[in-house]
Amino acid sequence: MLALAVVALAAGFGQFGAVATLGDVARGFGHAVHGDTIAEQAGLSATEVGLGLAVLRLASLGALRVAGAADRVGRRRVLLGATAFGLVVTILAAASPGYWWFVVILAAGRPALSAAVSVAQVAAVEETGTRDRAKAVALLAAAYAAGSGITVVLHSLAKGVLGFRGIFALAIVPLLLLWWVRGRVSETGRFSQMGGEHAAPVLGPVARPYRRRLAVVAGLAFAVAVVAGPANSFLFLYAQNVRHLVGWETAVMVVVAGGAGFGGLVAGRWLADHIGRRPTAGIGLVLIALAATLTYSGSTPALLLGYVAGVTTGSIFAPAAGALSNELFPTAVRASVGGWTVAAGVLGATAGLLLFGAVADVGNRFSVAALATFLPVIPAALLFRLVPETRGREPEELWE
């Protein structure tokens, strides 16, 4: 589990750099001046930033094939190979000569890192029993958040020295860490026991018994991503370029949110094991949407409170949703289903980013964009009622 946590941390560092440094990226490749429009304040328009972020998200559709390969060649090979490739591409992004070069280079590594996160969660589920499964998912969520948070804190405190290029170059550190733990990342017992049953990944139509559940899980992934995509991706541009938080204020905000997020993971794990995966994840989804709306409501206190609340509620959601989505499917297709879930999340995040950016540009109001993008997602929480509760049950029991 600790080796898988290192993989998640490395992937978090590689994936979140574009978000953590977005304000600096917009200034570096655009032209920020004093003015009233978002483009004048940030350096690039919300539409242009949203389109670039959408391209990065859409690139993660490639994770469908990469994650699916883990059902054929094994979890370990995909985890190590995909994470290493994604980090190498992240390092190359440090030399980007322009904004769209930056987007294209990062997009090349995005499928690998997205697949690594998904397969790491699959491996954690397969290596634990029902009493420890939510804990394992929470551990990976904490590790991914730590990797993401490190990029934010480093950029906030040392952007005058490192800049966004320095942050991407520092991906060499998690790459070396990955090399150090590679021997401790082992193949999962459930996958090894399948023998020759894993001849090919499920990349076409998922077998009929799994389709209804896959549709529900994919729908939920889409809904969550509609909120999480723009809420997370625009956050630091909004904080630094619009609300004008200075570096140490952003760093403190992230550290405080990290502590609150750890508490949220503990609470989410307990709720998932004692109340159930479905109610915990459903309530978490509603709270995520409300917290994101508060974050962009238009004041600095709302930004700070909303961000901390968003991290906390997302942490409550993660253990239950992660355990549920993996427990619903058998080992033979679990990694492939993870790829489909990533793909659904990519489409949801892309839709959210484009809608949020376009609405924000029209009235130069992030608050209106938040209302239009986040609140309509709340009814999607009812989708959890369409799948069985998995608390206290092994995945094999659901497919006997």
Side-chain angles (χ1 to χ4, degrees):
M1 288 303 104
L2 291 176
L4 289 175
V6 170
V7 173
L9 184 147
F13 190 99
Q15 276 199 315
F16 209 70
V19 174
T21 64
L22 189 57
D24 198 15
V25 169
R27 286 195 183 98
F29 292 132
H31 182 60
V33 297
H34 293 292
D36 296 327
T37 69
I38 293 173
E40 289 172 334
Q41 294 173 351
L44 296 171
S45 71
T47 299
E48 189 171 8
V49 172
L51 184 58
L53 292 171
V55 170
L56 292 180
R57 293 284 183 168
L58 283 172
S60 289
L61 288 174
L64 177 60
R65 179 169 293 277
V66 180
D71 282 336
R72 177 170 57 88
V73 303
R75 305 345 185 182
R76 182 180 187 273
R77 289 175 65 182
V78 171
L79 278 172
L80 295 177
T83 308
F85 177 81
L87 290 173
V88 168
V89 174
T90 301
I91 295 169
L92 294 177
S96 301
Y99 177 66
W100 288 107
W101 275 102
F102 170 79
V103 170
V104 169
I105 293 172
L106 281 184
R110 193 82 182 193
L113 292 174
S114 295
V117 175
S118 176
V119 176
Q121 192 174 90
V122 168
V125 167
E126 292 180 349
E127 286 292 88
T128 51
T130 184
R131 296 185 61 181
D132 296 320
R133 196 164 291 127
K135 296 177 187 176
V137 174
L139 173 64
L140 294 193
Y144 182 87
S148 304
I150 288 170
T151 63
V152 179
V153 173
L154 283 175
H155 180 257
S156 298
L157 297 180
K159 66 179 180 180
V161 177
L162 295 174
F164 70 89
R165 298 184 190 277
I167 296 297
F168 288 108
L170 282 177
I172 186 68
V173 177
L175 182 61
L176 293 174
L177 187 60
L178 180 72
W179 180 85
W180 181 59
V181 301
R182 71 194 188 285
R184 297 182 182 274
V185 179
S186 57
E187 190 54 77
T188 68
R190 279 186 166 93
F191 180 85
S192 298
Q193 291 169 8
M194 288 177 59
E197 297 179 25
H198 43 76
V202 182
L203 293 177
V206 175
R208 189 173 298 278
Y210 319 137
R211 290 178 187 172
R212 182 175 180 273
R213 292 183 181 182
L214 175 60
V216 174
V217 169
L220 287 165
F222 181 94
V224 172
V226 168
V227 178
N232 293 334
S233 299
F234 279 97
L235 178 71
F236 296 103
L237 180 145
Y238 177 69
Q240 297 166 7
N241 296 35
V242 178
R243 302 312 314 171
H244 302 296
L245 266 63
V246 298
W248 69 267
E249 291 174 322
T250 303
V252 170
M253 177 183 75
V254 171
V255 171
V256 171
F262 178 78
L265 287 171
V266 173
R269 192 279 306 170
W270 188 91
L271 290 169
D273 285 339
H274 291 80
I275 296 177
R277 282 36 165 158
R278 294 190 310 173
T280 302
I283 294 171
L285 173 56
V286 173
L287 295 177
I288 287 170
L290 294 176
T293 304
L294 174 63
T295 301
Y296 292 94
S297 59
S299 70
T300 298
L303 164 65
L304 300 176
L305 180 60
Y307 176 66
V308 173
V311 172
T312 305
T313 55
S315 298
I316 292 172
F317 173 85
L324 177 68
S325 63
N326 283 285
E327 290 168 333
L328 287 170
F329 301 95
T331 303
V333 298
R334 190 171 291 123
S336 296
V337 167
W340 283 107
T341 304
V342 171
V346 167
L347 295 177
T350 302
L353 285 164
L354 294 177
L355 175 61
F356 189 94
V359 175
D361 265 347
V362 168
N364 297 317
R365 295 281 298 277
F366 279 92
S367 58
V368 176
L371 290 170
T373 307
F374 303 149
L375 294 186
V377 171
I378 289 178
L382 295 174
L383 289 175
F384 283 106
R385 297 176 60 86
L386 301 180
V387 293
E389 177 58 63
T390 62
R391 176 175 64 93
R393 306 172 69 182
E394 295 295 345
E396 291 78 6
E397 297 178 38
L398 299 166
W399 291 101
E400 292 180 348

